[in-house]
Amino acid sequence: MSTIGNFVRENRKKAGLTQKEFALRSGLGLRFIRELEQGKTTLRLDKVNQALSMFGAEAVPGKAERTEL
């Protein structure tokens, strides 16, 4: 699961919102919220930032973290 997906899920739950409630409040689709929380790797960044803005956060360009195999 993605770091961003985990962040959204944890903060959504802390806010006491279901995925459906969060989707309605953020103006995003339920399917998008589910895919984001499940770590789908091909999501639109503008929509990711729309979700993150609900918690005062945003995704910005940066160096990728690499793990050694």
Side-chain angles (χ1 to χ4, degrees), residues 9-26:
R9 174 179 279 140
E10 289 172 12
N11 283 281
R12 174 183 60 76
K13 287 184 175 187
K14 284 180 190 174
L17 298 171
T18 65
Q19 286 181 330
K20 185 175 182 178
E21 291 167 334
F22 182 75
L24 288 170
R25 288 188 185 193
S26 66

Side-chain angles (χ1 to χ4, degrees), residues 8 12 18-38 40 43-44 46-52 54:
V8 170
R12 174 183 60 76
T18 65
Q19 286 181 330
K20 185 175 182 178
E21 291 167 334
F22 182 75
L24 288 170
R25 288 188 185 193
S26 66
L28 296 164
L30 178 57
R31 179 178 174 182
F32 177 84
I33 299 303
R34 288 181 177 153
E35 290 175 345
L36 174 62
E37 290 187 1
Q38 291 171 359
K40 184 176 178 185
L43 296 172
R44 287 182 38 186
D46 62 326
K47 288 187 174 190
V48 171
N49 277 328
Q50 189 173 339
L52 289 173
M54 296 289 290

